[in-house]
C-alpha cells in the first residue's frame, strides 16, 4: 500500500531556490588577491544562475543530458555553474585542473562535453588542449586572464558576463526525475583509464542533508566555511550544495591556495569552518609559525583526502582549530565516514584515538568488511578486510560513455551491488573505521592479510630509517610475502637483522608478518601527487633489478 | 540520462539497524514512577524490535500492509513497535488515547487494524471499545495494568513479554519500496470524520534527516531528549526516528505527564532537550516556581502544537531553557517551520520577535500564500493569505479506507497537489512564517481578510475585557463582517463605542476592520482541548440567540 505523501522529487533546483530566497542574504565571498574580496549574496547567485541557464539554453543550445564542463577554481561563478547546469536538466562535469593534459583530453572526449566554462586564469592550460577536444563547441570564459590565447581556436568563445548580461533573473526550472544525472566527476586512478561517476539530483540532495546534520559538519547561517577543497574534487565534498540548504556563508579562495593568502583570508574574513586535504594545512601551519595571524575564528577544520598526521592534529588543537577527519572517495559523493568521537569518550584519553580514525558511518552508508577469502568479517576493531559500502549516494557503476552500457568491473562492485572501496581496514563495534592499507598494497600471505602500511610505519620509527616501503612479492609457499625496501638516513649503517628485531620488539609486529626479504634503495618512487608508487617497486623486483637479501 | 548511483531505498529498517549497531550504547530511558527508570540500550531495542516482528509475523500472522495499532504512552516498548511494524512491511497506526471513545472506534474500524498493542494502564480505555472494533483480532498487552479487564473479550490476548520471549534477536528486514506506507495517524479535526494520513518510509526517513540538521533540532549522541509530545501525536514529531539516526538518548515519561514527575525526571535524568506543547510547559513552570529543582541541564526546548505565549518564553529564558518554536500538523509529518532566528539578529532586539514567529521553512518544504481571491501573495511580511505547502513529507491526500480511493478534498488540497494548511498568515522576505488566524475563522470582507485573532488580542488588551471571540457573520454589502463577542470582567461596565475606539486607538486596528456588530456573552464556548469553539457562536448568531448591537 502506498502512502498518501506528496510525490515530490529531490532536486538541485529546490536547493537553489531555497538558498536564494530564504537564505538570500548569505554570501559567497571570493578572494581576489587584492583589495576587498568579491561578495555576492545567495539571492544574487540565484539570479545569475537563472541567467546562465537561459544563456546556455538559448544562446548555446544546451539541452537535457548535455554535458557542460567547468575548468575553474573555487569561486562564485563556479557556484553559479554548479546550480544552473543541473537545475536546467543538463549535467555538470567538473574538470580536475591538476590532471596531466592527456588525461584531461581523454576525459572530456569520453564525457563528450559540449561546452566548457573556464576561468581566464586557466586558459594557458585549456588552449593547447582545444584541438584535441572533439566534442567541445563552446568555451565560456570568466574572470581575469589573457583571452588572446583562444585566438584561432575552432570553437565559439563567449565572455561569461556578456553572455548572461541581458537574461532574465528567474528560470522555470523543470520538474526532473530525481534519479537523473546531475553532475559527473572522473576518478584519477593511477591504473587504467579514469572512471566517470555520475551523481543524481537525489544523491546530491541526500548528501547535502547529511553534511548539514549536527553529527556531520552541522553548520548553520551563523557560520562561514572556507572551502579550500577544490570544486572539481568530488563537488568540494558537497559543501556548495549543503550550504545553500542552510545559508552557510562560503569563502572561496579562487586560485590563491598558497599558505600566505590562506592565512590572510582567514584573518580578514574570519571563517568558522574550513575543509581541505592535510598537505594544505601542513603548509598553513608552517606559515602561521613563521608569521602569526589571528585565526581564532576558525574552530572547526574538516580534513579528508588522506589521514591527518597526529602531530598536525595536535598542532592545530593548540591553535584552537579542532580537526575532524572524514573519509570518502569520488564514488561516495564523498561523505563515507566522519570522526566525531562518541559522547562518552569526549574529554577522556580515548578521545584523541577516536579522532585519528577515519570516523563513523552515517545511517545512509552501510558498511561491511570482506576478508581475503571473500568472507564477511566482524566489527571487532581487529579483523581487517576490504571495506565495501552501500547507500543512496554511493556509486553502483561507472559511466560507459555515450551510447555505451555502464561499467561494473568485478574488482570495484560486488555481485550484490556494493562498492568495493579498495581500502582495507577494521571497524570497531561502535562503527568507527580505521583504514590500514589499500587493497592492492596489502600482502596476502597464507590466507591472512599483512598491512604494508603497518610495516612501513613501524620501520620508519627506527632512528636509522629515513623512508621505507613494503610491497607484496610472490612466494611459493605463502602466495605472497612482504618485501621491505628501506631508505637509510645519511651515514646510518644498520643491518637487516637489527631492523627485523626492531619490528618484532615490544610486540610491534606479529612474528609471522615479519619480512624475510630486504633491500636498501636510494629513495622510494613517488606518484605525481607524492604517494609511494609501489607499482614501480613491484616491477623492479620482478625484473630482478633490486639487490634483495633473504633472512 | 540516469546517474550511476546505487538505487538504495530510504527505509525505516535502515534507521533501526544503524541506531542499534553504530549507536548501540545510546539509551531509551522510561520513567516508571518509582525508583530507577527503565534503561534499554538502542542495541537491546534493536533485538527486541526483531523479536516483536517475528512474533507479529509468526504468531499473529501479520502480513504486508496489515495495520497494527498502538494504544500506548511514550515508552521503550512503543519505540520497539515504531520500528518492528514498518520495518517488517506492515503499517504502524498510533491511536490518540485522548480522543472521545466513539472517534477511536471509528478510526480503528476505518483503518481496519488487525492488532492493537496496548499498555496495561490503558486497558480501562480499550476494554469497553473492543466489542465495537470490527477488525481487531489480537490485543498485545505491555506493562502494568489489570489484565482481567479483557476477560471475555472476543479477541486473542497476548502478553507482550511472553510473545517476544523466545524469538530471534535479528530479522531479515525486507527491501521495500520507499514510497510504501509505514505509519498512519488520523487528524482529530473538529468538523467531519477524522482523516487518515499515511506516512511512507521515504517521508519518515527524510523528515528524520531534517530534524537532525543543525538548522532544525540538531541533536547528537551527547544529548538526551525528553520526549513529552506523545508518540501518538504525529510520531512524537519524528523524534524517535530521528534519534536512532544520530544516537540521541531518549527520555520517555510514560504516563507520568504531570508537572511534578516531569520536574523530577528533568532533575534526575538531566535531559538537554525537550519537546512538548505549551500547556505542559505552563504547568512545569508553575511547579518549578512552587518547588525549585535543578533543571540546568535542559537548555533547548522545542515547542509546537500552538504558539508559546511571549511571557512563557521569557520565563523559560530566565531559567536558562531556550524555547524554540516549531510549526506543523499531522499532514506535515510534522516539521513545517522552526524558529531559529537568522544569525545576523542574534543578540539584537529583533531576535525575540523572530523567536515568536512560527519559524523558517527548511529546503524540503515549499511554501506559498493564497489570498482571498485565489491569488498568490508576496513574501513581504504583511500580505496575509492561506498557507499552502509542498514537499516529500507533506500529505497529498487522505486515506480513503480499505479498497477505496484516496481522498483529495478541494478545501485541503490544491489542484496542483499542494496541501492547503487551513492556517492564515504572512511570510517575511527571509522566509519566516507568522500565523495570524485559521482560514475558517478569518473574516472575508469585501475581498480582503480580517484576522479574528488580531481583533481578539486587541480586545483582550482592554482592562475591562476578560475574554473576547470574534467570528465572521454574513453581510449583504461586504460578504462577511466581524461580530465581536465580549466577556466583561466582573463589575466592569464599558460600552461598545468605547471598545471600538480602543481598537481604533494608536492604529491598533485599521478602520475598515473595526466590528460594527457587538454582543456581551457570559463565557466563550470552548472545545474539548480548550480552544475557542467559534462554530457554536456562529450557530447562535444564525439562530438569533445573541443580543447583538449594531454601531
Amino acid at each position: 500500500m502506498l502512502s498518501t505523501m506528496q510525490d515530490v522529487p529531490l532536486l538541485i533546483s529546490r536547493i537553489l531556490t531555497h538558498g536564494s530566497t530564504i537564505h538570500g542574504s548569505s554570501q559567497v565571498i571570493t578572494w581576489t588577491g587584492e583589495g576587498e574580496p568579491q561578495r555576492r549574496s545567495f539571492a544574487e547567485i540565484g539570479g545569475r544562475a537563472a541567467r546562465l541557464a537561459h544563456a546556455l539554453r538559448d544562446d548555446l543550445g544546451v539541452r537535457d543530458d548535455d554535458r557542460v564542463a567547468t575548468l575553474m577554481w573555487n569561486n562564485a561563478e563556479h557556484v553559479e555553474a554548479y546550480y544552473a547546469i543541473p537545475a536546467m536538466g543538463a549535467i555538470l562535469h567538473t574538470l580536475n585542473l591538476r590532471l596531466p593534459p592527456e588525461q584531461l583530453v581523454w576525459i572530456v572526449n569520453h564525457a563528450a562535453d559540449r561546452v566548457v566554462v573556464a576561468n581566464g586564469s586557466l586558459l594557458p592550460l585549456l588552449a593547447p588542449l582545444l584541438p584535441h577536444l572533439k566534442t567541445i563547441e563552446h568555451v565560456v570564459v570568466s574572470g581575469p586572464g589573457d583571452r588572446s590565447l583562444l585566438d584561432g581556436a575552432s570553437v565559439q568563445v563567449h565572455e561569461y558576463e556578456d553572455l548572461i548580461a541581458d537574461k532574465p533573473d528567474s528560470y522555470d526550472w523543470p520538474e526532473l526525475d530525481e534519479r537523473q544525472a546531475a553532475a559527473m566527476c572522473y576518478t584519477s586512478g593511477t591504473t587504467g583509464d579514469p572512471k566517470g561517476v555520475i551523481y543524481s539530483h537525489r544523491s546530491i540532495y541526500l548528501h547535502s542533508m547529511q553534511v548539514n546534520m549536527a553529527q556531520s559538519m552541522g553548520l548553520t547561517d551563523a557560520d562561514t566555511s572556507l572551502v579550500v577543497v577544490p570544486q572539481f574534487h568530488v563537488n568540494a565534498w558537497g559543501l556548495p550544495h549543503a550550504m545553500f540548504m542552510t545559508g552557510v556563508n562560503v569563502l572561496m579562495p579562487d586560485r590563491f591556495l598558497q599558505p600566505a593568502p590562506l592565512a590572510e583570508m582567514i584573518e580578514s574574513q574570519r571563517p568558522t569552518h574550513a575543509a581541505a586535504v592535510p598537505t594544505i594545512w601542513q603548509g598553513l601551519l608552517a606559515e602561521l609559525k613563521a608569521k602569526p595571524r589571528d585565526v581564532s575564528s576558525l574552530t572547526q577544520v574538516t580534513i579528508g583526502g588522506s589521514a591527518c598526521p597526529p602531530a598536525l592534529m595536535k598542532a592545530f588543537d593548540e591553535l584552537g582549530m579542532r580537526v575532524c577527519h572524514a573519509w570518502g572517495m569520488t564514488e561516495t559523493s564523498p561523505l563515507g565516514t566522519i570522526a566525531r568521537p562518541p559522547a562518552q569518550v569526549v574529554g577522556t584519553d580515548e578521545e584523541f584515538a577516536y579522532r585519528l580514525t577515519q570516523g563513523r558511518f552515517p545511517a545512509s552508508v552501510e558498511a561491511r568488511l570482506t576478508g581475503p577469502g571473500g568472507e564477511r568479517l566482524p566489527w571487532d576493531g581487529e579483523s581487517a578486510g576490504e571495506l565495501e559500502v552501500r547507500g543512496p549516494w554511493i556509486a553502483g557503476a561507472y559511466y560507459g560513455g555515450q551510447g555505451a552500457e555502464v561499467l561494473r568491473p568485478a574488482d570495484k562492485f560486488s555481485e550484490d551491488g556494493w562498492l568495493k572501496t579498495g581500502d582495507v581496514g577494521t571497524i570497531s563495534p561502535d562503527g568507527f573505521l580505521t583504514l590500514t592499507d589499500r587493497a592492492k598494497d596489502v600482502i596476502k600471505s597464507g590466507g591472512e592479510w599483512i598491512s604494508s602500511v603497518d610495516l612501513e610505519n613501524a620501520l620508519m620509527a627506527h632512528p636509522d630509517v629515513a623512508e621505507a616501503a613494503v610491497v607484496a612479492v610472490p612466494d611459493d609457499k605463502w602466495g605472497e610475502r612482504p618485501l621491505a625496501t628501506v631508505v637509510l638516513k645519511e651515514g646510518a649503517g644498520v643491518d637487516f637483522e637489527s631492523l627485523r628485531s626492531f619490528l618484532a620488539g615490544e610486540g610491534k609486529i606479529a612474528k609471522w608478518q615479519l619480512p624475510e626479504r630486504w633491500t636498501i634503495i636510494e629513495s622510494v618512487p613517488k606518484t605525481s601527487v607524492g604517494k609511494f608508487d609501489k607499482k614501480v617497486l613491484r616491477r623492479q623486483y620482478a625484473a630482478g633489478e633490486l639487490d634483495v637479501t633473504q633472512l
Side-chain angles (χ1 to χ4, degrees), chain A residues 382-467:
Chain A
E382 290 182 3
S383 306
E386 181 175 1
L387 174 67
E388 299 182 7
V389 291
R390 176 176 187 265
W393 59 75
I394 310 287
Y398 292 121
Y399 180 53
Q402 223 172 352
E405 302 246 323
V406 295
L407 307 171
R408 285 199 184 81
D411 63 328
K412 295 298 288 183
F413 302 98
S414 73
E415 276 183 29
D416 57 351
W418 292 52
L419 173 72
K420 297 180 177 179
T421 64
D423 277 321
V424 170
T426 63
I427 302 178
S428 65
D430 52 354
F432 280 80
L433 170 72
T434 301
L435 292 183
T436 54
D437 214 339
R438 288 288 298 166
K440 64 179 163 48
D441 294 332
V442 82
I443 298 124
K444 289 125 192 148
S445 171
E448 300 279 348
W449 281 359
I450 302 172
S451 163
S452 65
V453 175
D454 283 356
L455 286 171
E456 288 160 2
N457 286 342
L459 272 171
M460 289 193 278
H462 190 283
D464 288 341
V465 173
E467 270 187 335

Side-chain angles (χ1 to χ4, degrees), chain A residues 126-148:
Chain A
L126 179 63
L129 306 184
L130 278 177
H132 310 284
L133 305 180
K134 299 174 199 158
T135 55
I136 294 287
E137 300 163 31
H138 301 273
V139 177
V140 181
V141 188
S142 160
D146 180 5
R147 270 59 172 169
S148 73

